[in-house]
Amino acid sequence: MENWVVLGQYLDKDVLMMTEAILNGHKISFRVKSPESHLNSALGQATSQGFVVEVAADQYDLAKQLTESEGDVASDAEVPMEEYTTEELKEIILNPEDWHEQLLFNAKNELNRRGAVVQEEEIESSREEKIRQLQKGAEPSGIIYYFMWAFALLGGYIGIIAGYFYWRGKIKGFDGKRYYMYSRRYRNQGYYMFMLGVVSAILQTYIYIINR
């Protein structure tokens, strides 16, 4: 039988929904108890309880950390949707990985209210374009890139590490897949940078040994 502990009590339904989204997003087991009135015997009057959220005991520490660290998204969720332009709302829907679930929910509702629903074709097209950009890869910062070539030429380990990074470095995309960080051109150059650094380091080590 699973043990449950109280994570918190929520009077505001928007904050409750935000909390549920955080817990769902991190696959934390939880349950919500509906509010109910009870008699305050000391005051002789009825008071109202908020929604009580309970989480699995072995996940409490993680749930507490997540809800506290991500609590600042409440400020975004509380911004009136009327203050966003229709284009801004569409950008939120088309880039769901950049926003919190509560803001997405509010943005969709506001677009529906305005009769400006984002079509599935638009969402799919945006997704495909972002995947193409991930597959294409980025270009490294110019001045730093050239400094790394200098380090590699001098046989420095920084140049070797940088070369390997440009050659094999990957990032995790919004779809959960891993993509090469840099374009094919710079990955190839990263390979040459890596090999140059290795050869330079070996030569310098050899020269040092024979001159001892």
Side-chain angles (χ1 to χ4, degrees):
M1 182 178 181
E2 192 158 22
N3 293 323
W4 301 91
V5 293
V6 175
L7 177 66
Q9 182 172 310
Y10 303 86
L11 295 172
D12 189 319
K13 288 187 177 181
D14 287 337
V15 177
L16 172 66
M17 291 176 64
M18 181 182 67
T19 301
E20 290 178 332
I22 292 172
L23 298 177
N24 277 323
H26 291 84
K27 295 181 172 57
I28 292 176
S29 300
F30 71 94
R31 63 185 184 184
V32 179
K33 291 187 175 181
S34 301
E36 56 186 17
S37 298
H38 64 280
L39 185 66
N40 186 317
S41 57
L43 299 178
Q45 60 184 9
T47 60
S48 177
Q49 290 180 310
F51 290 88
V52 175
V53 175
E54 296 180 343
V55 298
D58 59 345
Q59 295 179 301
Y60 173 80
D61 290 339
L62 176 59
K64 191 70 174 176
Q65 178 183 347
L66 289 169
T67 53
E68 287 178 352
S69 64
E70 299 189 31
D72 58 344
V73 300
S75 59
D76 286 333
E78 291 168 1
V79 175
M81 289 293 101
E82 293 82 359
E83 295 186 9
Y84 288 87
T85 66
T86 298
E87 289 305 312
E88 287 174 335
L89 292 172
K90 286 184 176 181
E91 282 300 311
I92 292 174
I93 303 304
L94 294 174
N95 298 281
E97 65 278 2
D98 295 335
W99 305 98
H100 191 270
E101 288 87 346
Q102 180 63 47
L103 188 62
L104 282 169
F105 178 82
N106 291 344
K108 288 178 182 178
N109 282 344
E110 178 61 20
L111 281 175
N112 285 334
R113 186 185 70 79
R114 298 182 189 184
V117 179
V118 178
Q119 301 298 324
E120 287 298 325
E121 292 80 5
E122 294 180 75
I123 296 175
E124 185 59 29
S125 176
S126 174
R127 176 184 172 86
E128 290 175 354
E129 177 59 28
K130 284 183 284 188
I131 290 176
R132 280 194 294 271
Q133 290 300 320
L134 285 168
Q135 292 172 336
K136 180 181 177 182
E139 295 187 1
S141 173
I143 187 167
I144 296 176
Y145 182 69
Y146 293 119
F147 268 121
M148 293 305 104
W149 270 108
F151 280 121
L153 181 62
L154 296 172
Y157 288 104
I158 294 177
I160 295 173
I161 294 171
Y164 187 84
F165 178 73
Y166 289 129
W167 172 31
R168 304 298 295 172
K170 290 186 176 184
I171 58 172
K172 186 176 182 180
F174 69 94
D175 56 355
K177 296 181 180 179
R178 296 185 65 80
Y179 297 87
Y180 283 111
M181 186 175 297
Y182 296 104
S183 64
R184 181 181 296 276
R185 172 189 174 189
Y186 286 100
R187 293 203 306 274
N188 290 338
Q189 292 186 13
Y191 170 76
Y192 295 128
M193 183 189 296
F194 173 79
M195 295 305 297
L196 175 62
V198 170
V199 171
S200 296
I202 292 173
L203 286 175
Q204 289 191 31
T205 303
Y206 175 73
I207 294 171
Y208 174 77
I209 291 174
I210 64 175
N211 287 332
R212 287 188 63 184

